[in-house]
Amino acid sequence: MPSLPSSARRRKPPEIRLGFAAEGLIIAADLADANLLQALREHSRWQAPCECREEDGVLLMAGPNALPVAFRNFVARVDRKVPAGAVLERARRFFSGRERAFAVVVRMARDADLDQAARGAGMTLTGDSACMLVESALGEPAIPEGIRVERFSSEAHVRHAVQVNAEAYQAIKLPAQETQLFFGQSGALLSPSVIGFVAYRGGVPVATALTILSGEGAGVYWVGTVHAEQRRGLGEALTRLATNAGFRAGASVVALQASAFGEPLYARLGFRTYDRLRRYRVAAASG
């Protein structure tokens, strides 16, 4: 899911130019995009029941309920050589058998034809987020007074992180029960590919963020802060921790997909926009 910092202010996303002249940025964008695809796969391990099918350049996932969003019920193209029409047709077949609506995940720099096909078919645009990356570690965070940060080492940490985000992500209209379903298999997050953090005030969890590793790339996901602790620097502190954890684990690029709330913060920290992530909704097949 797009990351949500502690300070939530809506701003119009800046326009970007898709395509890159610098070879180094192209490589960085490739690593960042590969992390997004890996994060989509990773989320299938956290949800139950969940079916994740990746065949012939197309990734399909049907999650524990029928919510038609990325990371739950979606199609994404992995191989750019697969025609856009074929991607959509395979998705329709997959989800029609399950009587579900679904989301089409479009990375604009790679999926311009898929975007055109989705719009041409009258699909509903439900999201347009900045894909951002940074290529060097951030300054170490200033942890606010009275806050203790712990790294995921038990399922209790995961449950506390879910508790935080069940509240925090209501700000972008994700119901608490839907957030909880994303983490139905809490033990699956205690893996070498995931690094998570929870911040506590006293014994109460108040903020969280996690990092998903994918070789030379890493990504920051599920940044959130409870309402009572917002605007106190916790979102920034946890983002810095999660970003630097990715670099310490060997990544040369750390990426994230920013909500409108989070984009100004991440830009200030040094993240650059390299792409835009669009999501289209396709209604369940009738009959």
Side-chain angles (χ1 to χ4, degrees), residues 8 63 87 91 107 145 165 169-170 178 187 195 204 218 225 229 280:
V87 173
R107 296 107 71 213
E145 185 177 356
N165 280 331
Y169 276 76
Q170 291 181 64
E178 298 294 352
I195 303 169
V204 179
T225 305
E229 294 286 346
Y280 289 90

Side-chain angles (χ1 to χ4, degrees), residues 160-171 174-177 179-180 183 222 227:
H160 292 161
V162 176
Q163 177 182 327
V164 169
N165 280 331
E167 177 182 331
Y169 276 76
Q170 291 181 64
L174 183 66
Q177 63 268 27
T179 297
Q180 291 161 356
F183 302 94
W222 291 103
H227 302 324

